[in-house]
Amino acid sequence: MAVNEVLGNDDYSEVCLNPEFNKLLLKLKPHLTEDGTSITVQRDLRDVEERFRQEKGTWLQQHVLLSNLKDLLLESQMRGSKIATPSSSAQFYETVQNMLTHAEIGDYIHCDPETGGERTLFGLSNDDLRLKKPFEQHSKSIQQRLIPELESRLRKRCEALVGFYDSVTDAESAKLTFARTSELPTNLEQDLQKLKLDEREIKKEQSIQETQYSEYYQNLLRSLSLLESLVKNRRLKSQVESDEVSTLWLTTRCDALCLKIKIFELQILCDTYHEGTVQALRKIRGEIDRAIHSTEYDLKQVDQTLAAYEAVGSGFDNLVQEYTRLKDEIDNKKWALRELKQHSLEETSNE
């Protein structure tokens, strides 16, 4: 395989700029796989995976046999609990149970919590268990009866699995059900591979859909932004024209209201201040003017008196008290004078 086929045209054009790197890739090519893994490592990995698959298959076979044997013993115990007198079958299954228990003891005698410890349960060892086999003489006879029963159970379960996987419709196909059990692992493996391929395709489709969704979403946002800007510009232009018309209308209405208020004010003045009222107000103004002149004359006299007291000094209490009284009187007269002047100005403006 050429370097450009491995890297692609774009990457290969960049590699061509460095010939030494190109030579290095060509030297590494016989020692690496297409995904960059060492060929030796990949071969060792395949060997390990194959050994692991074999060991796993062996363990699964033993596990299936043990599970079926335990189920068989459990069913026999349930049947035996309903029968008062134990039969030969019950005794047979009891013997099988004891043999199974004796075989499982070896998994529990090593109870030392330390790694590599030699302490065992009751000091027993695997050699002790192998020497003491109370059911050794019955093993052959038990196997002759037990193995067919286990095979029958496994056969029924295999037929049930095949029936579940591929339902049988006619009697001729039912006879071949057990024969098809040997094809069941291959069929399941093919289905599993197909499911994985479908899963990858689904993930690929999901990735494409997510990318398309993101693109559609961005396009939608841009479209909304453009639409919003167009609406704002159009609305602003229309708003300016509407504001101008509204402003002109409000200005005209305000002017009209101001004229109405002025007319109403003049009408109230005309109704309030007729000829007789004006003459009376003029007389009142004359009286107020005379009172203003009199108050101003009194204020001038008080100021002169106050100035005389201030010139005397602060040694006399009576003079001080008189000074205080006169000053209060001056303040009162000033207030009265202001009130009279303000009232006179109001009367003048009304005329």
Side-chain angles (χ1 to χ4, degrees):
M1 183 180 293
V3 176
N4 59 344
E5 296 179 358
V6 176
L7 298 178
N9 294 329
D10 296 336
D11 295 334
Y12 179 68
S13 60
E14 296 180 1
V15 171
C16 289
L17 299 177
N18 192 343
E20 297 299 328
F21 185 66
N22 192 3
K23 293 179 182 180
L24 177 61
L25 291 178
L26 292 175
K27 290 180 180 180
L28 291 176
K29 178 177 170 294
H31 304 283
L32 299 176
T33 61
E34 294 183 358
D35 58 355
T37 308
S38 173
I39 295 178
T40 305
V41 174
Q42 190 179 37
R43 183 171 56 251
D44 295 340
L45 180 61
R46 284 199 299 265
D47 294 340
V48 171
E49 289 178 349
E50 180 63 24
R51 289 197 300 270
F52 175 75
R53 188 184 65 80
Q54 293 177 359
E55 293 293 335
K56 184 179 179 181
T58 303
W59 182 87
L60 287 174
Q61 290 177 0
Q62 296 175 355
H63 179 71
V64 169
L65 289 174
L66 181 60
S67 299
N68 279 272
L69 178 58
K70 289 183 176 181
D71 292 342
L72 181 62
L73 296 175
L74 181 61
E75 292 176 1
S76 67
Q77 290 177 1
M78 295 176 64
R79 290 194 303 268
S81 62
K82 299 179 182 180
I83 301 175
T85 303
S87 61
S88 59
S89 297
Q91 294 177 356
F92 169 75
Y93 290 122
E94 183 179 359
T95 303
V96 173
Q97 180 65 56
N98 292 331
M99 293 179 66
L100 178 62
T101 304
H102 188 272
E104 289 180 340
I105 291 176
D107 297 332
Y108 301 98
I109 61 174
H110 297 283
C111 57
D112 196 330
E114 299 180 358
T115 304
E118 297 181 355
R119 288 185 296 178
T120 60
L121 185 65
F122 302 118
L124 296 174
S125 64
N126 292 328
D127 295 334
D128 296 334
L129 296 177
R130 283 193 294 269
L131 291 175
K132 297 179 181 181
K133 293 184 178 180
F135 307 101
E136 182 69 23
Q137 64 275 17
H138 304 293
S139 60
K140 291 184 179 181
S141 59
I142 291 175
Q143 290 178 2
Q144 291 176 356
R145 178 177 176 180
L146 183 61
I147 291 175
E149 292 188 14
L150 290 175
E151 289 179 348
S152 176
R153 292 177 62 87
L154 290 172
R155 181 188 183 93
K156 290 180 180 179
R157 293 197 175 186
C158 290
E159 291 175 352
L161 285 175
V162 172
F164 177 79
Y165 177 77
D166 185 12
S167 58
V168 179
T169 57
D170 53 355
E172 183 65 25
S173 298
K175 295 179 181 180
L176 300 176
T177 300
F178 184 74
R180 292 202 301 271
T181 55
S182 59
E183 302 174 358
L184 184 60
T186 304
N187 295 333
L188 291 176
E189 184 67 23
Q190 292 176 354
D191 292 344
L192 182 61
Q193 294 298 328
K194 185 176 181 302
L195 289 175
K196 289 182 178 179
L197 291 175
D198 293 341
E199 185 179 1
R200 284 196 292 269
E201 290 295 329
I202 290 173
K203 289 182 178 180
K204 184 178 179 180
E205 292 293 333
Q206 288 178 348
S207 178
I208 295 174
Q209 290 179 0
E210 290 176 358
T211 303
Q212 292 177 350
Y213 175 80
S214 178
E215 293 177 356
Y216 294 158
Y217 181 73
Q218 296 297 327
N219 292 332
L220 180 60
L221 289 180
R222 288 193 292 269
S223 301
L224 290 176
S225 177
L226 179 60
L227 180 61
E228 184 179 4
S229 62
L230 293 175
V231 171
K232 285 183 178 179
N233 294 333
R234 176 61 182 172
R235 186 177 63 183
L236 289 175
K237 292 179 180 178
S238 302
Q239 189 67 31
V240 171
E241 298 175 357
S242 176
D243 291 343
E244 291 177 354
V245 175
S246 299
T247 302
L248 180 61
W249 179 78
L250 290 174
T251 303
T252 305
R253 185 175 181 183
C254 182
D255 294 339
L257 289 175
C258 290
L259 292 175
K260 286 183 180 180
I261 292 172
K262 188 65 177 178
I263 293 173
F264 186 69
E265 181 182 1
L266 293 175
Q267 184 178 358
I268 291 175
L269 291 175
C270 291
D271 294 339
T272 303
Y273 299 104
H274 49 81
E275 185 177 358
T277 305
V278 172
Q279 292 178 358
L281 291 175
R282 287 176 179 174
K283 292 180 180 180
I284 293 172
R285 180 180 178 183
E287 294 295 331
I288 291 174
D289 290 339
R290 286 192 294 273
I292 289 173
H293 292 306
S294 177
T295 303
E296 289 178 349
Y297 177 76
D298 294 339
L299 179 61
K300 185 177 181 181
Q301 294 295 326
V302 172
D303 288 337
Q304 292 175 357
T305 305
L306 181 60
Y309 280 116
E310 289 178 350
V312 172
S314 59
F316 303 96
D317 295 336
N318 294 329
L319 292 177
V320 173
Q321 292 177 359
E322 184 67 17
Y323 170 77
T324 303
R325 184 184 65 78
L326 291 174
K327 192 170 183 179
D328 293 337
E329 186 177 352
I330 289 171
D331 293 336
N332 291 331
K333 289 185 178 294
K334 286 181 178 180
W335 176 80
L337 182 61
R338 286 194 303 269
E339 293 294 327
L340 289 173
K341 287 182 177 180
Q342 183 177 0
H343 187 68
S344 177
L345 292 174
E346 291 177 356
E347 294 295 335
T348 303
S349 63
N350 292 332
E351 291 178 2

